[in-house]
C-alpha cells in the first residue's frame, strides 16, 4: 500500500523566487499520476520535493499517513528514474540493477532472484552481462527502471524518462511503462512536457503552468472539459482554436465569421448576452458544412485525416485563422474556398479565462 498526500506545498528559493504555489494532491494506492506542463512550470521541482532532492519550503508531504516532509531522501522508500538513465558505465547491466541492494548488503541469493525477476519483466535477461554502452537508449532506460523495480519501493518517480529517445522508441517505452504499472500495481508519479505521454499513461493528470496547478482530472476530463484556456490550448494536438467573439441573439460574432448557437448553448451563455467571450473549438471538432467560409492557406495529409489551415471569412487578410482536422484524404489548394461547421464548442470567460459551464 502506498498513498501519497501533498498538502499546500510551496517551493521558494533563497532569492525569494517561488517555483511552486500551494500544490495539493492526494495520490491513491496504485495510481499513476502524470504532471504535465511547459518547461519551467514547476513539475520537476514538485517531483524532486517528493523524492527529497529539494527541500519543501511550506506544506506537508505524507506517505501512508506518515509525515515525511523532513525525512531524508534515502529513507523515503521511493525510487526515481531520470531522463539521463544515470547508469554506471563500468558495471554490467546485472551489477547496475543490483547496485542499490548490494549497498544495503542484502543476501546475494536474494539479490540474484530480484534482479532476474526484474530482468524478466523488462525483457533484459539476455542483456545482463553487457555494459550500458552496448545497449540502445530504450534498453538503457529499461535498465534504469529495473534498478528501481528490484528495490520494491512504495512509490516510483519518473522525471521525463523518455525525452532522450527518438519518436519510435518513445512510443515503445511508453507502452512498456504502462504494462509495468499494470503488472506491479505500483503508485507512480510521472513528469513530462509531452501531452501524448500524459494522455496515454495517466490515471489522472495534473496540468501545471508557472508553478500553479491549472487542473487535475482524468485524461478525458482535461481533453473534453478543460478548466481554462491554458489547459484547452496545452492538451490536444493540434491545439484548440480560440477566438474572441461577441454573444449575439442566436449566434456568436467574430471578426470575419458568425457561428450559430444551439438552444443548449444559448442557455449556457444567457448571462453573457452582448458581451465578449473566448470561443474554443478543437480542430477535430470541425467538419465540412455550410456555416462558415474559410479561405485555405495550406493543408497536410495524414492518411486517415487532413489538417487544413485557413482564414475564416473568405479573405486572406481575415484576422481569424483556423486549423481543422478533417476526416479522410483531401486535396486543397492555397486560396481555395471551403465551407465548415463547428460540431462542438467550448466557452471561456474573457477576464478569468475560466470555462463557462452549464449550471447544475
Amino acid at each position: 500500500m502506498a498513498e501519497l498526500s501533498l498538502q499546500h506545498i510551496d517551493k521558494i528559493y533563497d532569492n525569494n523566487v517561488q517555483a511552486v504555489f500551494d500544490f495539493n494532491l492526494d495520490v491513491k494506492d496504485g495510481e499513476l499520476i502524470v504532471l504535465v506542463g511547459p518547461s519551467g512550470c514547476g513539475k520537476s521541482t514538485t517531483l524532486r520535493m517528493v523524492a527529497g532532492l529539494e527541500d519543501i519550503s511550506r506544506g506537508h508531504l505524507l506517505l501512508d499517513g506518515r509525515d515525511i516532509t523532513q525525512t531524508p531522501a534515502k529513507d523515503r522508500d521511493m525510487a526515481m528514474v531520470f531522463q539521463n538513465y544515470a547508469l554506471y558505465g563500468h558495471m554490467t547491466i546485472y551489477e547496475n540493477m543490483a547496485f542499490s541492494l548490494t549497498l544495503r548488503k542484502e543476501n546475494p541469493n536474494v539479490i540474484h532472484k530480484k534482479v532476474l525477476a526484474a530482468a524478466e519483466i523488462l525483457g533484459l535477461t539476455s542483456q545482463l552481462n553487457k555494459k550500458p554502452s552496448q545497449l540502445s537508449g530504450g534498453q538503457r532506460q529499461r535498465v534504469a527502471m529495473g534498478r528501481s523495480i528490484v528495490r520494491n519501493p512504495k512509490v516510483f518517480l519518473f522525471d521525463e524518462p523518455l525525452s532522450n529517445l527518438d519518436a519510435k522508441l518513445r512510443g515503445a517505452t511508453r507502452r512498456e511503462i504502462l504494462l509495468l504499472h499494470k503488472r506491479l500495481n505500483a503508485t507512480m508519479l510521472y513528469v513530462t512536457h509531452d501531452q501524448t505521454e500524459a494522455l496515454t499513461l495517466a490515471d489522472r493528470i495534473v496540468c501545471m503552468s508557472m508553478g500553479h496547478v491549472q487542473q487535475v482530472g482524468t485524461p478525458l476530463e482535461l481533453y473534453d472539459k478543460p478548466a481554462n484556456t491554458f489547459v484547452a490550448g496545452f492538451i490536444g494536438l493540434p491545439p484548440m482554436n480560440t477566438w474572441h467573439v461577441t454573444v449575439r441573439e442566436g449566434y456568436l460574432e467574430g471578426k470575419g465569421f458568425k457561428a450559430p448557437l444551439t438552444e443548449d448553448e444559448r442557455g449556457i451563455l444567457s448571462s453573457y448576452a452582448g458581451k465578449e467571450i473566448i470561443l474554443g473549438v478543437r480542430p477535430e471538432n470541425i467538419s465540412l458544412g455550410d456555416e462558415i467560409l474559410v479561405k485555405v492557406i495550406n493543408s497536410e495529409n495524414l492518411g486517415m485525416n487532413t489538417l487544413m489551415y485557413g482564414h475564416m471569412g473568405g479573405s486572406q487578410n481575415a484576422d481569424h485563422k483556423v486549423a481543422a482536422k478533417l476526416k479522410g484524404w483531401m486535396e486543397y489548394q492555397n486560396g481555395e474556398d471551403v465551407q465548415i461547421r463547428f460540431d462542438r464548442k467550448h466557452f471561456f470567460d474573457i477576464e478569468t479565462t475560466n470555462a463557462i459551464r452549464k449550471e447544475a
Side-chain angles (χ1 to χ4, degrees):
M1 174 179 170
E3 294 183 347
L4 201 62
S5 181
L6 291 78
Q7 302 177 353
H8 302 289
I9 286 180
D10 292 339
K11 179 59 184 179
I12 306 169
Y13 290 102
D14 292 340
N15 57 3
N16 287 325
V17 172
Q18 189 158 354
V20 178
F21 299 79
D22 195 29
F23 190 104
N24 290 278
L25 180 68
D26 288 324
V27 184
K28 301 171 189 173
D29 179 40
E31 195 172 21
L32 199 168
I33 298 288
V34 176
L35 277 62
V36 69
S39 297
C41 72
K43 57 188 185 297
S44 287
T45 302
T46 301
L47 193 76
R48 290 174 65 82
M49 284 192 287
V50 172
L53 303 177
E54 295 268 6
D55 293 332
I56 294 173
S57 304
R58 281 195 292 260
H60 296 277
L61 177 67
L62 278 65
L63 179 61
D64 291 337
R66 181 172 63 92
D67 194 323
I68 61 168
T69 309
Q70 304 299 328
T71 302
K74 64 182 179 64
D75 298 325
R76 292 193 179 190
D77 201 7
M78 299 180 186
M80 193 159 181
V81 179
F82 299 91
Q83 66 184 65
N84 62 357
Y85 321 133
L87 302 178
Y88 296 103
H90 66 286
M91 293 183 180
T92 64
I93 301 311
Y94 182 99
E95 291 167 337
N96 267 282
M97 291 175 65
F99 185 67
S100 63
L101 303 182
T102 304
L103 285 180
R104 293 181 187 175
K105 296 182 169 46
E106 285 206 22
N107 185 300
N109 291 329
V110 173
I111 294 175
H112 186 68
K113 288 180 181 178
K114 288 183 176 181
V115 171
L116 290 184
E120 177 67 26
I121 290 172
L122 295 166
L124 291 170
T125 305
S126 63
Q127 313 295 330
L128 291 177
N129 291 323
K130 294 182 179 179
K131 298 288 181 67
S133 60
Q134 297 174 276
L135 304 186
S136 68
Q139 289 172 321
R140 275 179 271 178
Q141 192 56 276
R142 275 187 275 158
V143 175
M145 288 190 284
R147 187 176 51 194
S148 297
I149 292 170
V150 298
R151 290 178 53 190
N152 192 28
K154 286 194 170 184
V155 180
F156 287 84
L157 307 174
F158 294 86
D159 188 13
E160 306 230 23
L162 309 185
S163 60
N164 288 337
L165 306 180
D166 62 36
K168 186 176 180 180
L169 274 176
R170 272 202 304 272
T173 310
R174 186 171 67 237
R175 290 188 291 273
E176 288 173 0
I177 291 173
L178 192 57
L179 290 171
L180 178 66
H181 174 247
K182 290 179 178 178
R183 185 162 182 173
L184 299 178
N185 194 30
T187 305
M188 295 182 175
L189 261 65
Y190 187 108
V191 162
T192 181
H193 64 275
D194 187 332
Q195 52 142 321
T196 301
E197 288 178 36
L199 289 170
T200 55
L201 284 173
D203 292 320
R204 285 189 297 154
I205 295 173
V206 180
C207 188
M208 298 182 68
S209 173
M210 299 179 69
H212 296 271
V213 173
Q214 300 297 313
Q215 187 174 357
V216 180
T218 66
L220 180 59
E221 285 170 343
L222 268 71
Y223 173 82
D224 201 47
K225 295 180 180 178
N228 53 43
T229 55
F230 176 82
V231 178
F234 192 83
I235 300 294
L237 193 67
M240 181 183 287
N241 297 288
T242 56
W243 310 280
H244 286 203
V245 298
T246 303
V247 181
R248 303 298 187 191
E249 183 65 35
Y251 66 93
L252 298 173
E253 185 176 23
K255 197 165 185 179
F257 73 97
K258 293 180 180 179
L261 290 169
T262 66
E263 185 174 342
D264 191 46
E265 291 168 344
R266 293 180 200 181
I268 294 172
L269 298 175
S270 59
S271 62
Y272 286 84
K275 297 180 180 179
E276 195 174 23
I277 64 166
I278 298 172
L279 166 65
V281 180
R282 293 203 178 278
E284 52 270 35
N285 292 148
I286 297 175
S287 60
L288 297 177
D290 57 0
E291 295 179 356
I292 299 166
L293 180 65
V294 172
K295 182 77 73 173
V296 175
I297 302 172
N298 70 293
S299 62
E300 301 171 359
N301 297 113
L302 304 175
M304 293 296 292
N305 301 103
T306 299
L307 278 178
M308 185 267 289
Y309 301 91
H311 292 283
M312 290 189 293
S315 169
Q316 290 280 32
N317 297 319
D319 290 336
H320 281 32
K321 292 182 179 180
V322 62
K325 191 173 184 179
L326 304 172
K327 292 181 180 179
W329 184 290
M330 302 180 187
E331 300 284 352
Y332 292 113
Q333 302 300 318
N334 185 22
E336 183 177 347
D337 288 339
V338 177
Q339 293 275 357
I340 64 168
R341 69 186 305 274
F342 298 152
D343 299 321
R344 170 78 190 281
K345 306 181 190 76
H346 299 263
F347 310 117
F348 304 93
D349 186 277
I350 204 161
E351 293 182 1
T352 66
T353 75
N354 291 333
I356 301 170
R357 303 272 192 230
K358 185 176 182 178
E359 294 185 6

